[in-house]
Amino acid sequence: MPEIKEDILATLAYFDIFDYPLSSVEIYSFLRNGYDQYNFDQTLVMLIVQGAVYQFDQWYSLKNDYSLVPRRQKGNEKAAELIDVGKKVSDFLIQFPYVRGIAISGSLSKNYADEKSDIDLFIITARNRLWIARTLMHIFKKLTFLVNKQDYFCMNYYIDEQQLEILEKTTYTAIEIVTLITLHGAPAFEQFGAANTWTADYLPNKTIDLSQAKAVKNSLLKTLFEKAFNNAAGNAIDNALMKITAGRWRKKTALKKLNAKGSVMGMDANKHYAKPDPKNFQHKLLKQYDHKVADLLQDPKSSLAH
């Protein structure tokens, strides 16, 4: 029983960092180990009686703060609006050459948004053509600034079919993977899930949901473009675009240019992936999470110290 108590509190601790209370179904799905439903239900009730967990309607939190409930509800409503927009955006972006799958990521994939939220997108491309695909999509994105719609096209994370495994294996990356809202390319995301079965070591009760992923139907223009560059020239162009783009981002980081959220701009990239690199964000988040869990273990009312 102590282990299941610790897992429930650890799950709530992670989402409490974001002031995000969870339902019992959500708590169960993000537990670090598998348990039968009866033990889970009984332990959750026990933690509430002990004062270690607070219940507000169907929501649970480590914080005795009811204001988190309307905050979540408002965030869920805003997220539903943006997810609908994201679906329309993905219907357009999937037509770009070499794009094989699109999913919503970030806070929006956890069903939360506020007035400052973007639509963060996770893109899977054909093998060895990530940089051609990314360059074409980001040329288009520059046009969206003219109509102030750039927040709808935050294509932050690219990965290609050659290297689908996420190398950083942490609680953070596991949660980011299993909460992806897949919009296009079920086959690509099936392969992505198969390459990242390690997430079960962190989250045995949750896997990527492919139910919303539409089939990818290539247009004639997309097919012709890919045929034209499925050769040595395409390889050379992709490699050149990688070097040019990575060089430009290194300069932005060196000059400490800030993004719209006030963070120094950075990108971690190689031939098979391109992703934002906010300085030490994941490290700081996991350190904060570890400290919260450690504090819970020392808190007598949690009954975990006994």
Side-chain angles (χ1 to χ4, degrees), residues 61-89:
S61 174
L62 298 181
K63 298 174 181 175
N64 187 15
D65 184 358
Y66 184 80
S67 69
L68 297 178
V69 173
R71 178 183 181 274
R72 166 164 178 159
Q73 292 171 334
K74 183 178 180 181
N76 291 165
E77 292 171 1
K78 181 63 176 178
E81 296 174 6
L82 286 184
I83 289 171
D84 284 341
V85 175
K87 291 177 180 178
K88 295 176 183 177
V89 167

Side-chain angles (χ1 to χ4, degrees), residues 8 17 87 105 107 171 184 204 260:
I8 290 173
I17 293 173
K87 291 177 180 178
S105 60
S107 61
T171 298
H184 280 278

Side-chain angles (χ1 to χ4, degrees), residues 3 7 29-35 165-166 168-175 177-178 193 195-207 289:
E3 185 176 42
D7 282 1
S29 67
F30 288 109
L31 291 177
R32 300 182 298 188
N33 293 284
Y35 303 98
E165 182 182 8
I166 303 298
E168 305 90 352
K169 296 175 174 58
T170 66
T171 298
Y172 171 80
T173 50
I175 290 175
I177 288 171
V178 301
N196 291 283
T197 55
W198 60 265
T199 59
D201 295 335
Y202 294 84
L203 303 167
N205 304 315
K206 191 168 180 61
T207 57
Y289 168 63

Side-chain angles (χ1 to χ4, degrees), residues 125-187:
T125 73
R127 65 184 64 234
N128 299 321
R129 291 296 182 270
L130 183 154
W131 292 96
I132 291 177
R134 185 186 183 280
T135 300
L136 292 172
M137 296 174 85
H138 279 260
I139 288 173
F140 166 76
K141 182 175 179 176
K142 292 186 180 298
L143 300 177
T144 66
F145 282 87
L146 300 176
V147 291
N148 198 32
K149 297 295 183 182
Q150 65 272 13
D151 292 344
Y152 292 167
F153 296 87
C154 294
M155 298 157 290
N156 290 333
Y157 202 123
Y158 287 80
I159 192 167
D160 82 355
E161 293 176 320
Q162 177 69 27
Q163 186 178 308
L164 291 172
E165 182 182 8
I166 303 298
L167 300 180
E168 305 90 352
K169 296 175 174 58
T170 66
T171 298
Y172 171 80
T173 50
I175 290 175
E176 292 304 302
I177 288 171
V178 301
T179 56
L180 287 172
I181 300 176
T182 58
L183 301 178
H184 280 278

Side-chain angles (χ1 to χ4, degrees), residues 118-292:
D118 305 324
I119 299 177
D120 293 326
L121 297 173
F122 182 95
I123 313 290
I124 298 178
T125 73
R127 65 184 64 234
N128 299 321
R129 291 296 182 270
L130 183 154
W131 292 96
I132 291 177
R134 185 186 183 280
T135 300
L136 292 172
M137 296 174 85
H138 279 260
I139 288 173
F140 166 76
K141 182 175 179 176
K142 292 186 180 298
L143 300 177
T144 66
F145 282 87
L146 300 176
V147 291
N148 198 32
K149 297 295 183 182
Q150 65 272 13
D151 292 344
Y152 292 167
F153 296 87
C154 294
M155 298 157 290
N156 290 333
Y157 202 123
Y158 287 80
I159 192 167
D160 82 355
E161 293 176 320
Q162 177 69 27
Q163 186 178 308
L164 291 172
E165 182 182 8
I166 303 298
L167 300 180
E168 305 90 352
K169 296 175 174 58
T170 66
T171 298
Y172 171 80
T173 50
I175 290 175
E176 292 304 302
I177 288 171
V178 301
T179 56
L180 287 172
I181 300 176
T182 58
L183 301 178
H184 280 278
F189 281 104
E190 284 178 0
Q191 294 174 23
F192 176 73
N196 291 283
T197 55
W198 60 265
T199 59
D201 295 335
Y202 294 84
L203 303 167
N205 304 315
K206 191 168 180 61
T207 57
I208 299 175
D209 181 8
L210 303 178
S211 62
Q212 297 187 58
K214 297 180 182 178
V216 177
K217 298 179 180 179
N218 292 340
S219 66
L220 178 60
L221 181 61
K222 179 175 180 177
T223 300
L224 292 175
F225 185 99
E226 292 185 6
K227 284 186 176 181
F229 290 94
N230 285 343
N231 47 43
N235 293 336
I237 292 171
D238 196 80
N239 290 334
L241 291 173
M242 176 187 66
K243 292 178 181 178
I244 292 169
T245 306
R248 289 178 58 196
W249 275 91
R250 282 194 296 270
K251 289 182 180 179
K252 291 179 181 180
T253 304
L255 294 172
K256 296 184 178 180
K257 290 190 175 183
L258 304 180
N259 59 23
K261 296 182 180 180
S263 300
V264 175
M265 299 177 71
M267 182 173 68
D268 183 13
N270 71 8
K271 177 66 173 174
H272 304 295
Y273 68 79
K275 59 185 178 180
D277 186 29
K279 191 71 173 177
N280 294 324
F281 170 77
Q282 185 180 156
H283 173 74
K284 290 178 180 178
L285 175 64
L286 291 173
K287 188 175 181 179
Q288 183 180 359
Y289 168 63
D290 289 341
H291 284 165
K292 284 179 71 72

